[in-house]
Amino acid sequence: MKILAHGLTKDYGNNRAVNGIDLSVDNEVYGLLGPNGSGKTTTVSMLTTLMRPTAGSAVICGHDIATEQSAVRECMSYVPQDMAVDIRMTGRENVDFFARLYGIRDRHERRRRVEDALEIMNLSDRADDLTKGYSGGMRRRLELAQALVHQPEVLFLDEPTVGLDVAARRSIWEYIVNLKNHGVTIFVTTHQMDEAERYCDRVGILKKGDLVNEGVPSDLTSQMKSVITIRTDSHAPLKELPEGVALVRDENGEIMVTSDNGSESLPAMLALLNDEGIKVYSSTVREPTLEDVYLQSVGKMNSDSDGFNQKQFENMMRRR
Amino acid sequence: MYRALAYVRRDIIRWSRAPMNVLSTLAMPCAWLLFMGLVMPVEWDGNYLDYVTPSILVMTVMTAGLSGGSSLMFDKMLGYLNKFLAMPAPRESILAGKIMFITIRGLLQATVILVISILIGATILSPLAYLEMYLILFMFGVFFSSLGTTVALYLGNHDSYAAFQSFVSMPLYFASTALVSYDMMPTWLFWIAKLNPLSYAIDATRAAAAGSFPLMEMSILLVLSVCMVLLCGRKFRKATMK
Ligand SMILES: Nc1ncnc2c1ncn2[C@@H]1O[C@H](COP(=O)(O)OP(=O)(O)OP(=O)(O)O)[C@@H](O)[C@H]1O
Ligand SMILES: [Mg+2]
């Protein structure tokens, strides 16, 4: 295991930001999900030795984060949430600076590693421009290049795609998956459920400092039900339902049901309606996504938006 | 040391790419020098420029040290520091690099002032005297850059630090032997000037320029700068260990 954590806890004064979480991450892309203020950055800060845990312990590449800090830093790289590249230096200078900080003294070795990192992140042709002129996506890639000159075993990324456009997001994720395929363990936090579902091997969901759900995205979604919606010409209520299908609503010819397996239940539903001589206008199946898992895990309105009264909001919505 | 130099290198590149910064930090001491050396038609035994140049060198180094104080704070605010702290390099090298950079920058600026002073008529000294002067300026630079860095880390935001900077530098300068000698001061100013670290540096620089070796002042400066560096290191560890 590259990352092992036991009961990792962090208090800020009386506020418990991370509440005794356990993690075990091997060579994979592990996504830590959670609303604003749920403790993602705090968790990463502890794992990267930037903060001491209040309680609990963690081991990165076999080194304890409390007692072997420099060994931990030796085997990992960290790209924080807030972007920071030196805008008055060129891309190459930025990466070279990090290579020096990582202690690569040999000039040829350093040059080779810098060029490689720039090449991997597809920045070679703009490497001599000041980063002032870089787009957000390029700056993020430059930060990844800075992290890569170190050739880390574990890479921590705190919201790497925030503020980037669709194409830039996708390219960042493709680089991430590619790194994983080359043996780098990736620990990434994100708000983007669709991205996590697509690119993470496993995800953990944080809610107010608690790890409330964890697993392979497809396993998590398969525990959720699919939603089938059918519009018919019949206003009479349905008499029976196929096995494994639960009724949500049946009003004015619109039937909404949930089922463990939407793609099997839909034909069964259609056959049943056909037998009863009901005409079907349209039918849709919506398979559950990680977003549904996430919303179910953390509650719909569960970020630290203070002063927001969910009950009142729901009542308000109901009256309409 | 290698890592500390990498930080110095980075700061020098960034500094040299901002010509306005370079010019604006030099403008003030240049103005003083030209004003004092050329315009002030005072009665003075000998060359007033020779009297005032050491104090302007010291002022240059002090201004550079104080203005550099916010540099580490900015690295922290802008998120660079978090990256540096997660690296295998010893954390002290971040601070060492910063103090080194600010001091080197101050000495470079002092050199420009020195050259200008010679161009407008200051006496050229012996190499040994210059060596002594640079040693003094170096210790003084270390003192003020670590003082500035400590205060900036303590205040934690740019506005209060800017206030501190202007609040501190002018009074320190006037309440010292920068412009007038001890025997021309009223008693109250005499005592303030006697306690002012700026006076030590100025007196020592003057003594060096005059060809003597100011052991007392230099030892005091050495002790002061070592204490300040230790204090700064403590503040830095506190500010980075959460
Ligand atoms: N330095 C700090 N001092 C005090 N409280 C803090 C500090 N940093 C974070 N917190 C609190 O700890 C909790 C977790 O914050 P954290 O930054 O880890 O959340 P996050 O999941 O990264 O949020 P986001 O998605 O907004 O980045 C929040 O309630 C936050 O207010
Ligand atoms: Mg965060």
Side-chain angles (χ1 to χ4, degrees):
Chain A
M1 285 295 155
K2 295 289 181 168
I3 304 173
L4 261 179
H6 254 297
L8 207 56
T9 301
K10 180 71 188 182
D11 293 341
Y12 295 110
N14 288 330
N15 173 17
R16 176 150 293 189
V18 175
N19 186 20
I21 65 172
D22 297 331
L23 293 167
S24 68
V25 180
D26 213 357
N27 181 15
E28 60 186 322
V29 180
Y30 185 93
L32 192 61
L33 317 176
N36 291 131
S38 55
K40 302 182 296 297
T41 299
T42 306
T43 304
V44 172
S45 300
M46 288 190 285
L47 294 176
T48 52
T49 76
L50 291 176
M51 254 179 211
R52 284 184 189 280
T54 311
S57 63
V59 172
I60 313 286
C61 310
H63 305 292
D64 192 293
I65 56 162
T67 56
E68 300 167 89
Q69 296 202 335
S70 48
V72 170
R73 292 186 209 133
E74 203 66 64
C75 78
M76 61 96 188
S77 291
Y78 166 49
V79 180
Q81 183 169 355
D82 301 315
M83 249 186 252
V85 297
D86 281 311
I87 54 167
R88 291 204 290 255
M89 306 210 308
T90 66
R92 180 174 284 111
E93 281 167 345
N94 265 289
V95 180
D96 180 74
F97 167 49
F98 270 50
R100 287 166 194 266
L101 292 184
Y102 283 122
I104 309 166
R105 289 167 191 241
D106 182 79
R107 177 196 287 247
H108 299 289
E109 168 74 1
R110 194 169 64 232
R111 166 174 297 203
R112 192 181 59 76
R113 297 254 287 256
V114 169
E115 295 311 317
D116 282 356
L118 288 167
E119 183 71 47
I120 293 172
M121 285 300 142
N122 204 5
L123 287 168
S124 296
D125 44 338
R126 295 286 304 275
D128 288 318
D129 297 353
L130 292 185
T131 53
K132 205 177 196 157
Y134 281 21
S135 68
M138 289 174 74
R139 288 185 192 189
R140 232 350 161 204
R141 291 203 321 264
L142 183 65
E143 291 199 301
L144 287 175
Q146 287 180 315
L148 290 186
V149 272
H150 182 38
Q151 301 178 340
E153 287 178 55
V154 181
L155 180 57
F156 289 93
L157 304 170
D158 199 353
E159 304 199 16
T161 58
V162 69
L164 304 186
D165 68 31
V166 183
R169 282 163 188 272
R170 172 182 293 224
S171 88
I172 295 283
W173 279 108
E174 278 164 6
Y175 291 121
I176 291 174
V177 170
N178 191 22
L179 286 172
K180 180 208 58 180
N181 293 336
H182 284 82
V184 184
T185 299
I186 317 266
F187 190 95
V188 56
T189 76
T190 182
H191 286 295
Q192 299 306 120
M193 294 309 136
D194 49 333
E195 295 175 6
E197 182 165 11
R198 231 160 114 187
Y199 299 106
C200 292
D201 298 311
R202 261 176 347 119
V203 296
I205 298 176
L206 270 184
K207 176 188 180 181
K208 292 186 176 156
D210 289 308
L211 198 61
V212 289
N213 211 341
E214 191 183 45
V216 177
S218 59
D219 290 351
L220 293 177
T221 51
S222 69
Q223 290 160 14
M224 302 282 291
K225 293 179 184 301
S226 345
V227 178
I228 299 172
T229 313
I230 300 173
R231 284 185 54 231
T232 67
D233 66 349
S234 154
H235 283 216
L238 271 178
K239 292 185 198 77
E240 54 169 338
L241 286 170
E243 210 174 316
V245 173
L247 187 70
V248 177
R249 194 168 67 210
D250 182 2
E251 288 167 357
N252 303 328
E254 189 173 279
I255 306 166
M256 187 188 264
V257 295
T258 59
S259 128
D260 290 336
N261 188 333
S263 42
E264 278 175 18
S265 299
L266 179 64
M269 280 293 292
L270 294 179
L272 189 127
L273 291 170
N274 192 35
D275 289 348
E276 293 189 12
I278 297 172
K279 191 167 178 224
V280 172
Y281 293 134
S282 71
S283 65
T284 58
V285 184
R286 200 173 70 80
E287 295 295 346
T289 63
L290 192 60
E291 189 164 332
D292 299 311
V293 177
Y294 174 83
L295 288 177
Q296 196 208 37
S297 301
V298 302
K300 276 206 170 65
M301 287 293 160
N302 212 329
S303 71
D304 58 9
S305 37
D306 296 294
F308 189 87
N309 186 331
Q310 188 182 343
K311 274 270 146 53
Q312 196 177 348
F313 178 73
E314 278 174 358
N315 285 337
M316 201 172 81
M317 295 307 284
R318 207 166 290 147
R319 274 201 290 273
R320 300 221 158 154
Chain B
M1 195 60 185
Y2 181 77
R3 325 281 176 104
L5 287 178
Y7 287 116
V8 173
R9 195 173 170 278
R10 164 217 185 213
D11 277 331
I12 289 181
I13 294 177
R14 296 200 317 167
W15 177 58
S16 65
R17 298 265 163 85
M20 272 320 284
N21 282 0
V22 179
L23 286 180
S24 68
T25 42
L26 275 174
M28 186 67 171
C30 275
W32 274 103
L33 187 65
L34 295 174
F35 179 70
M36 288 300 155
L38 298 179
V39 187
M40 287 268 276
V42 275
E43 294 283 315
W44 196 264
D45 302 338
N47 191 338
Y48 187 66
L49 192 60
D50 278 345
Y51 180 77
V52 87
T53 300
S55 78
I56 291 176
L57 293 179
V58 169
M59 176 178 96
T60 309
V61 171
M62 176 183 81
T63 314
L66 283 179
S67 73
S70 57
S71 174
L72 191 61
M73 181 186 71
F74 271 117
D75 276 353
K76 187 177 175 198
M77 273 164 46
L78 298 178
Y80 299 114
L81 189 60
N82 257 349
K83 286 182 158 186
F84 300 157
L85 291 173
M87 289 190 162
R91 289 179 169 177
E92 291 71 31
S93 60
I94 301 171
L95 187 61
K98 200 51 105 186
I99 291 178
M100 254 152 60
F101 162 68
I102 301 169
T103 308
I104 291 172
R105 187 178 67 176
L107 292 182
L108 284 176
Q109 292 176 343
T111 306
V112 174
I113 298 297
L114 192 64
V115 170
I116 294 176
S117 77
I118 290 169
L119 289 180
I120 62 174
T123 318
I124 298 181
L125 307 170
S126 74
L128 189 68
Y130 282 130
L131 191 73
E132 270 177 51
M133 274 167 70
Y134 271 93
L135 195 63
I136 294 161
L137 291 176
F138 174 79
M139 290 192 291
F140 189 67
V142 169
F143 174 78
F144 260 99
S145 47
S146 38
L147 174 78
T149 303
T150 312
V151 174
L153 284 179
Y154 181 78
L155 294 175
N157 71 74
H158 183 59
D159 292 339
S160 0
Y161 186 72
F164 162 81
Q165 208 176 321
S166 54
F167 180 73
V168 137
S169 56
M170 274 299 141
L172 268 185
Y173 193 62
F174 285 116
S176 76
T177 48
L179 303 175
V180 286
S181 57
Y182 288 120
D183 51 5
M184 294 171 79
M185 290 178 187
T187 332
W188 62 271
L189 188 59
F190 175 84
W191 285 108
I192 297 176
K194 266 284 177 196
L195 293 172
N196 188 344
L198 210 62
S199 300
Y200 293 113
I202 293 170
D203 294 348
T205 316
R206 275 195 191 126
S212 62
F213 188 78
L215 189 62
M216 230 275 281
E217 280 88 355
M218 282 175 78
S219 328
I220 292 176
L221 268 184
L222 183 66
V223 172
L224 282 180
S225 55
V226 168
C227 289
M228 207 60 229
V229 168
L230 292 179
L231 202 70
C232 188
R234 236 186 69 163
K235 181 68 211 164
F236 177 70
R237 271 191 295 282
K238 260 202 198 144
T240 52
M241 207 54 251
K242 281 171 267 178

